[in-house]
Amino acid sequence: MKALVTGAAGFVGSHTSEALLRLGHEVRGVDALTDYYDPMLKKANVQVLQDWARFDFRQADLLDADLAGLLDGVDVVFHLAAQPGVRSSWQNGFGVYAEANVMATQRLLEAARLSEVRRFVYASSSSVYGRAARYPTSEDAPTRPFSPYGVTKLAAEHLCTLYADNWGLPTVSLRYFTVYGPRQRPDMAMNRFIAAALEGHAIPVYGDGEQVRDFTFVQDVVAASLAAAEVADLAPGAVVNVAGGGSITVNGLVELLQTVVGRPVHTAEQPRQPGDVLQTGGTIDLAERLLGWRPQVAVPEGLAHQVAWQQSLLG
Ligand SMILES: NC(=O)c1ccc[n+]([C@@H]2O[C@H](COP(=O)([O-])OP(=O)(O)OC[C@H]3O[C@@H](n4cnc5c(N)ncnc54)[C@H](O)[C@@H]3O)[C@@H](O)[C@H]2O)c1
């Protein structure tokens, strides 16, 4: 297949591109290399991908890029480009989220409906559920985001279903729950915890640390996205949770980290953050049924991979 991966220089996008390349596919990657976190990390991700002659990288912003050109000859779109992160989506930060997550997605969908694309995989998020009343949360639970970021991810998901309903565009929205693994964004809790543990700093724990997080290893997430691109019978506009691998409290994660790093780690209590939810965790019955997918990597194994990667960055 020929794939367009948006956000190809990012954490999940670079792994998605790499997996496609390893399977022999052609990949066109697009990324604006935004400075939300150090663009050098993104450039390093792209460099790995450039080992393959079948990888074609375009540095461009989806808000003004020639999308018809980017979609030319493309069979499948993996739309991962976004402005991520909950905390900076409040106040004046919101405009960036509305543009990168909503406006850019609408532009891409509009171009995709005029193209030959046979599947459009959108990286949605568990943040669309907000403080879900039911745990683990299934796809039919009410969507009531608890952060401006979540509002933009849900708006883009609605755009995907409405392009499916109105134009038959074969979209599928995958609601990723917290993803971790090598190349994880430095603003994410797992990355900050590991960095603190490796550098001997105290780990900031927001609230009482009893928040439950459902972590999914990045290779499992990539496998779900690839399955969503390939399965034959998927109704346009499908919405599917991609979760599991391991539910663990923040305190439990700190304990596990001590074992992996092999030395005591200290914590510093911080006030609970606005927009942070107490529990995340999703059912995966639908992913199993529609995509034939189950996560394979448990947290202790995945954590060891991420620790090794962060250790390698420290030299
Ligand atoms: N990482 C997670 O735990 C998680 C969980 C749920 C959903 N998601 C979704 O998965 C996707 C990938 O997340 P990630 O963690 O890899 O983030 P990331 O920030 O590492 O990757 C996103 C990439 O998109 C690029 N980008 C942003 N705006 C752009 C634009 N207008 N045009 C072109 N490129 C642009 C950025 O430069 C970045 O490299 C996002 O859509 C995110 O909302 C991630």
Side-chain angles (χ1 to χ4, degrees):
M1 87 170 73
K2 183 162 180 172
L4 174 69
V5 180
T6 75
F11 164 41
V12 186
S14 63
H15 281 287
T16 306
S17 302
E18 190 173 337
L20 286 162
L21 290 164
R22 283 188 192 284
L23 288 169
H25 301 298
E26 251 183 273
V27 178
R28 182 174 293 149
V30 58
D31 201 296
L33 303 180
T34 67
D35 64 359
Y36 174 63
Y37 62 88
D38 187 355
M40 290 309 289
L41 289 168
K42 299 180 181 183
K43 287 182 180 158
N45 294 342
V46 173
Q47 206 159 14
V48 173
L49 302 173
Q50 276 168 336
D51 280 351
W52 280 271
R54 283 177 278 105
F55 181 66
D56 162 25
F57 181 68
R58 315 275 176 93
Q59 182 174 345
D61 191 323
L62 293 178
L63 288 166
D64 58 20
D66 164 22
L67 298 182
L70 285 173
L71 286 163
D72 188 37
V74 164
D75 307 300
V76 176
V77 175
F78 295 89
H79 178 37
L80 292 128
Q83 172 58 47
V86 166
R87 293 187 186 135
S88 51
S89 68
W90 295 96
Q91 300 175 326
N92 296 338
F94 186 68
V96 174
Y97 285 77
E99 293 214 320
N101 300 356
V102 185
M103 302 300 287
T105 301
Q106 186 272 343
R107 260 197 108 221
L108 189 59
L109 287 164
E110 199 56 52
R113 88 175 167 87
L114 301 172
S115 77
E116 301 294 310
V117 162
R118 62 169 173 74
R119 189 75 35 92
F120 186 106
V121 182
Y122 166 61
S124 187
S125 163
S126 61
S127 64
V128 302
Y129 294 119
R131 290 186 297 181
R134 271 185 287 136
Y135 169 86
T137 313
S138 54
E139 291 84 350
D140 58 0
T143 48
R144 189 169 175 169
F146 196 56
S147 68
Y149 163 73
V151 168
T152 63
K153 292 303 288 183
L154 181 58
E157 194 185 288
H158 282 315
L159 284 167
C160 290
T161 47
L162 93 84
Y163 274 78
D165 293 347
N166 282 265
W167 304 103
L169 187 69
T171 66
V172 49
S173 296
L174 300 181
R175 290 178 175 163
Y176 299 164
F177 283 63
T178 309
V179 190
Y180 75 107
R183 305 183 198 156
Q184 195 196 41
R185 301 194 325 259
D187 63 309
M188 294 187 72
M190 185 85 95
N191 187 307
R192 287 185 289 115
F193 281 22
I194 295 172
L198 291 175
E199 289 161 25
H201 304 307
I203 291 179
V205 174
Y206 296 95
D208 64 4
E210 286 304 301
Q211 317 74 312
V212 178
R213 290 289 175 267
D214 185 287
F215 290 102
T216 316
F217 191 60
V218 66
Q219 298 301 351
D220 281 330
V221 169
V222 168
S225 303
L226 264 53
E230 302 270 22
V231 289
D233 300 320
L234 198 57
V239 176
V240 184
N241 282 346
V242 171
S247 268
I248 190 167
T249 63
V250 172
N251 292 334
L253 184 62
V254 169
E255 256 177 58
L256 185 60
L257 192 51
Q258 290 200 129
T259 319
V260 176
V261 176
R263 65 171 110 105
V265 298
H266 308 286
T267 56
E269 210 175 295
Q270 305 282 330
R272 203 175 72 79
Q273 295 289 300
D276 268 357
V277 294
L278 292 179
Q279 260 185 345
T280 65
T283 59
I284 55 163
D285 307 6
L286 196 62
E288 273 194 286
R289 189 152 53 77
L290 296 183
L291 311 179
W293 173 87
R294 278 192 74 78
Q296 305 293 324
V297 181
V299 174
E301 182 190 345
L303 185 68
H305 285 299
Q306 185 167 344
V307 167
W309 169 71
Q310 289 190 229
Q311 219 147 16
S312 75
L313 292 182
L314 292 173

